[in-house]
């Protein structure tokens, strides 16, 4: 096995010295000179610098960095047919859902508490549970309080766009470099099927007029953000039969106006949520439909494929939610920020990233040496750090990669209803649902799996391997691909 620093090594030590010790004892032999740009890709350096710690704006960063949302903005000025903010369940992950709303002062204490305990924290987002721009005073006050205490935390908001234009200057002044607008249409006739009403300039609008106004404000807001140099991400909810084909047009239109990223997310629809779409039986897209739409948009605005559709009070790496560890009753009345953990973690990640970059480069060489047209889909169980470091039975989601001789691309994730292992024992009922979730994939890579579930998965036609436990994801996938498709493994060039 290659030398490595596991994510557990990085985050479990309780102080900065312990983190450094973990790095020192890892025996990692690579140096930054053998590393590639480690995810910088072909972005201008100044842009990479602004996204390299943002888990939503950089797929690579989401292996290392965490965001937290504070639910300070409950009021909303529009109604979306997929939203019902009254419903809450601590186990549920979808936008608009929170367990408790916070005042800006409570939010500050919570952010400091999380920053002291979660060294991966890099971004503070306000994503409702209503609209961050409409409930502006609380958004503004929260950002101002937090940035005074933790100046290096990135500030990020998500908005429906209706109240955005009047706040763009203030966002730029507050150094908010990342804004998300949810744009589901550029055709008001389609919008009328998604938005029953909006509230604007002290009046309520319905039907086509409502969607027309919303559309105009969204486009204006996007253009203003682009002009202000703010990196804007567009979130779109894919609603089969309503806006699925239309989102290709949305992709082109937002690209034209300078959007940095386009995140096409599946509609979450369940009658139990009490949303209009849930109650009327509007279905969400299947995995393959979502992927086909994302693939069809390739070449337009850059796509984000690693979104986890977070709750408005989410805390942690994107694939996990530690919000329940930081409810208000667990936050002290008096808190003081201690930057040492976050600083030490960043130093460790810088080293780890260089090594990961080198591994990715090696993987590209291995794949490029194959002589095959095959394209395979690989599911990975990971706790972060870009490694295969999670037991099959503990995985609540699998990250999905597509590999071919052209390279390895992250194409999404699949959540499982319940992890297979419950309280130390495998659950057959959970395994059945995991098997359905993994349908259509070529192989699952994890750090460990028992013979019994492995056999049952293989009977269902799904291969699983723990041969590459704790390796980098790309190293493992390329080695598997090369073995199956006839390449000769090449040694890393020094
Ligand atoms: Fe939050 Fe959104 Fe900022 Fe990220 S989430 S406000 S950009 S810090 Fe990220 Fe969550 Fe997807 Fe949003 S995974 S729902 S894209
Ligand atoms: Fe819900 Fe957000 Fe839509 Fe408002 S903009 S109705 S909070 S999803």
């Amino acid at each position: 096995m290659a030398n490595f620093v596991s994510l557990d090594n990085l985050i479990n030590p309780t102080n900065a010295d312990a983190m450094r010790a973990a790095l020192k004892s890892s025996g990692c032999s690579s140096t930054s000179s053998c590393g590639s740009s480690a995810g910088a890709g072909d972005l201008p350096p100044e842009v990479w610098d602004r996204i390299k710690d943002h888990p939503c704006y950089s797929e690579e960063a989401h292996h290392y960095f965490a965001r937290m949302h504070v639910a300070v903005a409950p009021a909303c000025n529009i109604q979306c047919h997929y939203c019902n903010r009254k419903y809450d369940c601590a186990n549920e992950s979808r936008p608009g859902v929170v367990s408790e709303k916070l005042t800006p002062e409570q939010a500050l204490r919570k952010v400091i508490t999380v920053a002291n305990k979660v060294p991966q924290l890099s971004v503070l987002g306000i994503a409702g549970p209503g609209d961050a721009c409409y409930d502006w005073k609380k958004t503004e006050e929260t950002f101002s309080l937090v940035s005074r205490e933790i100046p290096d935390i990135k500030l990020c908001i998500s908005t429906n766009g209706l109240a955005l234009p009047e706040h763009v200057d203030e966002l730029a002044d507050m150094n908010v470099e990342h804004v998300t607008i949810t744009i589901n249409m550029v055709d008001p006739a389609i919008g009328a099927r998604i938005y029953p009403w909006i509230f604007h300039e002290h009046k309520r609008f319905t039907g086509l007029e409502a969607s027309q106004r919303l559309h105009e404000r969204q486009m204006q807001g996007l253009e203003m953000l682009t002009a202000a140099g703010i990196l804007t991400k567009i979130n779109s909810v894919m609603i089969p039969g309503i806006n699925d084909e239309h989102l290709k047009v949305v992709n082109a239109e937002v690209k034209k106006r300078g959007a940095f990223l386009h995140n096409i997310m599946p509609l979450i629809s369940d009658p139990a949520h009490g949303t209009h779409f849930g109650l009327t039986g509007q279905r969400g897209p299947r995995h393959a439909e979502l992927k086909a739409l994302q693939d069809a948009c390739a070449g337009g605005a850059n796509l984000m494929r690693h979104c986890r559709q977070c709750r408005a009070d989410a805390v942690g790496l994107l694939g996990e939610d530690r919000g329940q560890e930081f409810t208000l009753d667990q936050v002290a009345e008096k808190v003081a920020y201690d930057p040492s953990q976050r600083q030490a973690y960043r130093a460790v990640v810088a080293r780890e990233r260089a090594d990961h970059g080198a591994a990715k480069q090696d993987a590209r060489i291995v794949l490029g040496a194959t002589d095959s047209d095959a394209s395979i889909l690989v599911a990975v169980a990971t706790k972060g750090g870009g490694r295969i470091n999670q037991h099959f039975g503990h995985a609540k989601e699998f990250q999905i990669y597509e590999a071919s001789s052209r390279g390895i691309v992250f194409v999404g994730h699949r959540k499982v209803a319940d992890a297979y292992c419950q309280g130390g024992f495998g659950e057959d009922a959970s395994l059945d649902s995991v098997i359905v979730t993994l349908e259509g994939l070529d192989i699952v890579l994890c750090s460990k799996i028992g013979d019994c579930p492995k056999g049952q998965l293989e009977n269902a036609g799904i291969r699983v391997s723990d041969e590459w436990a704790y390796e980098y994801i790309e190293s493992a996938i390329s080695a598997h691909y090369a073995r199956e498709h006839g390449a000769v493994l090449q040694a890393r060039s020094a």
Side-chain angles (χ1 to χ4, degrees), residues 46 52 115 136 145 198 203 273 292 295 329 332 344 369 402 410 422 428 455 467:
E46 66 279 9
K52 70 180 192 312
W136 177 251
L145 287 172
I198 68 165
K203 270 179 68 185
H273 298 159
D295 289 349
D329 56 327
E402 189 165 23
F410 176 92
Q422 310 274 333
D428 282 346
E467 177 182 352

Side-chain angles (χ1 to χ4, degrees), residues 76 78-80 82-83 85 129-130 160:
C76 190
I78 72 173
Q79 178 62 56
C80 306
Y82 47 76
C83 179
R85 300 193 302 287
N160 62 46

Side-chain angles (χ1 to χ4, degrees), residues 301-480:
N302 287 330
L303 292 175
M304 171 187 186
R305 297 183 191 238
H306 61 285
C307 175
R308 301 304 200 278
Q309 294 176 279
C310 317
R311 294 163 55 93
D313 57 6
V315 176
L317 294 170
L318 295 194
E320 64 179 5
D321 190 357
R322 300 177 58 183
Q324 292 308 306
E325 294 171 41
F326 299 100
T327 50
L328 260 193
D329 56 327
Q330 301 173 82
V331 170
E333 283 293 327
K334 283 204 183 319
V335 288
Y337 175 51
D338 170 8
S340 60
Q341 295 264 0
R342 289 180 65 240
Q343 284 168 359
Y345 179 76
R346 277 157 190 265
V348 172
V349 167
R351 174 72 176 264
E352 179 78 348
R353 256 179 160 165
D355 199 35
H356 191 181
K360 283 183 181 174
Q361 179 59 20
D362 287 350
R364 276 192 285 274
I365 292 169
V366 169
L367 291 171
T370 60
D371 182 20
S372 169
D373 296 332
S375 172
I376 62 168
L377 286 174
V378 181
V380 170
T382 176
K383 290 192 284 183
R387 303 220 179 236
I388 297 166
N389 54 8
Q390 190 168 45
H391 287 209
F392 174 83
H394 297 167
K396 291 185 177 161
E397 67 164 38
F398 292 88
Q399 298 200 359
I400 312 299
Y401 291 80
E402 189 165 23
S404 70
S405 58
R406 292 179 301 284
I408 297 170
V409 186
F410 176 92
V411 292
H413 70 282
R414 294 195 190 174
K415 286 185 183 171
V416 297
D418 289 306
Y420 165 62
C421 186
Q422 310 274 333
F425 297 97
E427 283 285 339
D428 282 346
S430 303
L431 189 61
D432 291 344
S433 107
V434 176
I435 286 171
V436 172
T437 303
L438 296 174
E439 190 187 346
L441 301 171
D442 294 280
I443 190 165
V444 180
L445 305 181
C446 57
S447 66
K448 194 161 181 52
I449 183 167
D451 290 340
C452 181
K454 189 174 183 182
Q456 289 184 57
L457 283 155
E458 280 174 359
N459 288 342
I462 300 168
R463 284 191 295 169
V464 189
S465 173
D466 52 15
E467 177 182 352
W468 291 284
Y470 301 104
E471 290 282 5
Y472 284 119
I473 293 167
E474 292 81 3
S475 308
I477 293 176
S478 61
H480 166 75

